[in-house]
Amino acid sequence: MSNSSRVILLALFSSLVGPLTANAAGHTYQGICEASAAALVDASHVAVASDDFSAIMIYQRGKPKPVTQFAVDDVTDIEGGARIGDTIFWLTSHSLNSSGEDKKKRKELFATTVSADGTLSNSGEVYRNLRADLAAALGRSEDRSKALINIEGLAATPDGHLLIGLRGPETIPNDRAIVLELANPMQLVKLGTGDVGSAQMTRVVTMDLSDGPGTSGRGVRDIARVGSRYLILAGSEPDGGNPPPKLFWWDGNAEGRVTLGPDADFSGMTPEAIVVWSDHEGEILSDSGGMMINGVECADKDPPKGAFFPAINLKF
């Protein structure tokens, strides 16, 4: 998610070392620069959403140019993607915009269906009351929470639930990150049977994503299932802040106990999305809005020619 702090940091980085590129171990994908959510289409293609672009891009693994795209109308700040069967759920941040405005298009849980040919199509209906449901699960009012809740992570469980990871800020009591489990996503978007009602939040799990006693905690930037456990991409609440991004493993335990995840070099990146290709390989994608491309600050509302985002490969 772009903000003024990230723009300043990226500008400083570019002034010191030249134009931003992926780190030495990485590569790039083209067309957008603010990659913020991802979900597999098939074994070699991934759908990538942006903070502010009007389409979801589909890329072949490791190939820079998109093979196709799927238009999304009147929705911004998509921050999470997770696949259940042939359905990909997409979730926006549900936060206020940079001007403090509460926009309807930033409060959506919606679904797309993956066809046999690897294309996406609209599916079900948009659910817009999730922020109130999250606030209630946290024992708060939506009015108080609207300036505080900021969703960034989304993962599917083996039993068809969704795990929702919060970035922060005041949603991290005692510097612990929060993950909530949503039990009825299909019903919420009118794809499942039974009474919809409201979101069924079956548990709230808090996690210590710090570097140890006396250090600052991190929020969730993304979460993804890898085999029987979950990989958590954790980061500071402000972009580019401290502590720096870090990966953790969580086995789903109710106490939120985590272990240190794979090592990764995030230099030149604002990592925000996990791609899991298999139980042993994946990628981390960067939301690099604000970087300078040919003298133009990249923003996906109107991406400049040559827009790209960095990515790195990951071994599990």
Side-chain angles (χ1 to χ4, degrees):
M1 181 186 300
S2 296
N3 60 20
S4 59
S5 63
R6 182 168 63 202
V7 171
I8 294 170
L9 287 165
L10 287 168
L12 177 60
F13 182 88
S14 296
S15 70
L16 293 173
V17 301
L20 182 66
T21 61
N23 64 35
H27 50 283
T28 63
Y29 291 98
Q30 300 173 3
I32 57 175
C33 52
E34 298 180 76
S36 56
L40 287 194
V41 173
D42 56 35
S44 59
H45 292 83
V46 62
V48 179
S50 158
D51 275 351
D52 209 19
F53 194 54
S54 58
I56 293 170
M57 313 292 272
I58 298 179
Y59 297 93
Q60 185 175 355
R61 181 180 182 180
K63 303 294 185 181
K65 294 184 179 180
V67 296
T68 189
Q69 60 186 53
F70 172 72
V72 286
D73 298 324
D74 201 30
V75 56
T76 61
D77 211 21
I78 299 173
E79 295 289 348
R83 181 168 174 168
I84 299 175
D86 291 331
T87 300
I88 297 178
F89 286 89
W90 302 98
L91 187 58
T92 60
S93 68
H94 287 64
S95 64
L96 305 183
N97 67 13
S98 58
S99 300
E101 299 171 313
D102 193 9
K103 295 288 189 179
K104 181 179 178 181
K105 61 186 179 180
R106 296 169 66 92
K107 296 181 290 184
E108 296 194 11
L109 172 67
F110 67 98
T112 55
T113 295
V114 181
S115 302
D117 62 359
T119 58
L120 302 182
S121 59
N122 286 312
S123 186
E125 299 181 8
V126 177
Y127 184 72
R128 300 184 185 275
N129 200 48
L130 189 62
R131 191 172 65 194
D133 300 322
L134 292 172
L138 295 172
R140 301 173 181 176
S141 69
E142 184 183 7
D143 186 60
R144 176 181 173 233
S145 298
K146 66 183 180 181
L148 307 176
I149 285 179
N150 195 344
I151 298 168
E152 290 238 357
L154 191 68
T157 70
D159 50 359
H161 296 185
L162 289 176
L163 297 173
I164 300 170
L166 301 187
R167 169 178 173 174
E170 288 186 28
T171 49
I172 308 179
N174 301 318
D175 248 2
R176 292 176 67 89
I178 290 179
V179 173
L180 302 96
E181 185 165 348
L182 170 64
N184 60 335
M186 288 290 188
Q187 287 77 13
L188 292 184
V189 298
K190 304 293 181 67
L191 291 177
T193 59
D195 183 35
V196 176
S198 59
Q200 297 175 11
M201 297 294 175
T202 55
R203 62 174 177 160
V204 178
V205 180
T206 67
M207 305 174 181
D208 180 1
L209 303 180
S210 72
D211 292 325
T215 63
S216 298
R218 296 174 174 88
V220 176
R221 290 303 187 102
D222 200 9
I223 181 171
R225 182 157 57 94
V226 183
S228 61
R229 55 184 178 169
Y230 299 92
L231 183 64
I232 296 174
L233 173 58
S236 62
E237 190 279 322
D239 287 317
N242 284 312
K246 199 168 187 176
L247 294 168
F248 294 87
W249 289 115
W250 175 50
D251 66 7
N253 66 81
E255 295 77 22
R257 295 186 305 273
V258 298
T259 57
L260 191 61
D263 287 332
D265 178 6
F266 293 131
S267 59
M269 299 177 68
T270 301
E272 285 217 359
I274 303 170
V275 180
V276 178
W277 293 111
S278 71
D279 288 353
H280 306 288
E281 294 182 313
E283 288 183 65
I284 303 292
L285 312 182
S286 177
D287 178 346
S288 294
M291 66 181 171
M292 302 302 292
I293 298 179
N294 300 321
V296 178
E297 182 182 300
C298 193
D300 281 346
K301 190 171 185 178
D302 184 19
K305 183 178 180 180
F308 70 91
F309 61 89
I312 58 172
N313 293 320
L314 204 60
K315 297 288 187 181
F316 305 136

